[in-house]
Amino acid sequence: MADLMQFVKDELVVRKDFPEFGAGDTITVYYEIKEGEKTRTQFFKGVVIQRRGSGTTETFTIRKMSGAVGVERIFPVNLPALQKVEINKKGHVRRARIFYFRELTGKKAKIRDARR
C-alpha cells in the first residue's frame, strides 16, 4: 500500500521547479486568484518562516507586515495556482523554523543578509 501511495505521489503530481529557499529568505510568491469567471495574478511578498513536509505534502509559510498587523500565509509547494517564486533577499538565520520572529518589532525584526 505504501508503494502505491509513493507511486501516485511521484508520477501523478506535477512538480514545479522553484529556486532553493529556506527560513529567513525574503521571497515573492505569484499565484492565481479566481473571481467568478475571471482569473488574475496576485503576489505575496514576505519572509519565509518555515518549510515543512516532503514530496507532495511540502508547504512553506510566509509572513509579511500589512500596516501594523502581521499576516501569515501557508502555501503548498505543489499548488496548481502557484505561478512563480522569486527570491528577493537571502537571509541568514540559525533555525529552520523562526517562530520567534513573530514577537520581534523594530530593528530586532531585521534578518541578517547571507553572504553570497
Side-chain angles (χ1 to χ4, degrees), residues 66-77:
S66 180
V69 179
V71 178
E72 290 187 10
R73 177 130 190 204
I74 300 170
F75 290 98
V77 171

Side-chain angles (χ1 to χ4, degrees), residues 2-116:
D3 296 332
L4 180 62
M5 293 289 288
Q6 191 63 35
F7 174 77
V8 170
K9 287 180 183 179
D10 292 339
E11 297 296 322
L12 300 180
V13 176
V14 177
R15 297 281 307 178
K16 295 183 180 179
D17 292 327
F18 293 126
E20 283 296 318
F21 61 90
D25 295 345
T26 303
I27 65 172
T28 305
V29 177
Y30 294 88
Y31 58 99
E32 274 186 1
I33 298 251
K34 291 183 182 176
E35 295 173 334
E37 297 173 6
K38 297 180 182 178
T39 61
R40 65 182 176 89
T41 301
Q42 186 169 336
F43 68 91
F44 195 89
K45 180 179 179 180
V47 177
V48 178
I49 298 292
Q50 71 170 343
R51 278 187 85 152
R52 72 181 320 177
S54 63
T56 59
T57 61
E58 186 175 2
T59 61
F60 57 96
T61 305
I62 301 179
R63 179 181 177 82
K64 75 171 183 176
M65 293 302 291
S66 180
V69 179
V71 178
E72 290 187 10
R73 177 130 190 204
I74 300 170
F75 290 98
V77 171
N78 295 314
L79 183 69
L82 277 184
Q83 292 179 341
K84 68 178 178 177
V85 174
E86 288 180 350
I87 298 178
N88 302 100
K89 206 163 57 167
K90 293 290 264 180
H92 179 264
V93 292
R94 300 171 91 181
R95 307 247 177 269
R97 297 181 178 172
I98 53 174
F99 296 130
Y100 66 87
F101 191 64
R102 294 172 177 158
E103 280 78 42
L104 301 181
T105 58
K107 287 186 178 180
K108 291 180 182 179
K110 285 184 113 179
I111 294 179
R112 229 174 40 184
D113 285 344
R115 292 185 183 172
R116 292 182 185 219

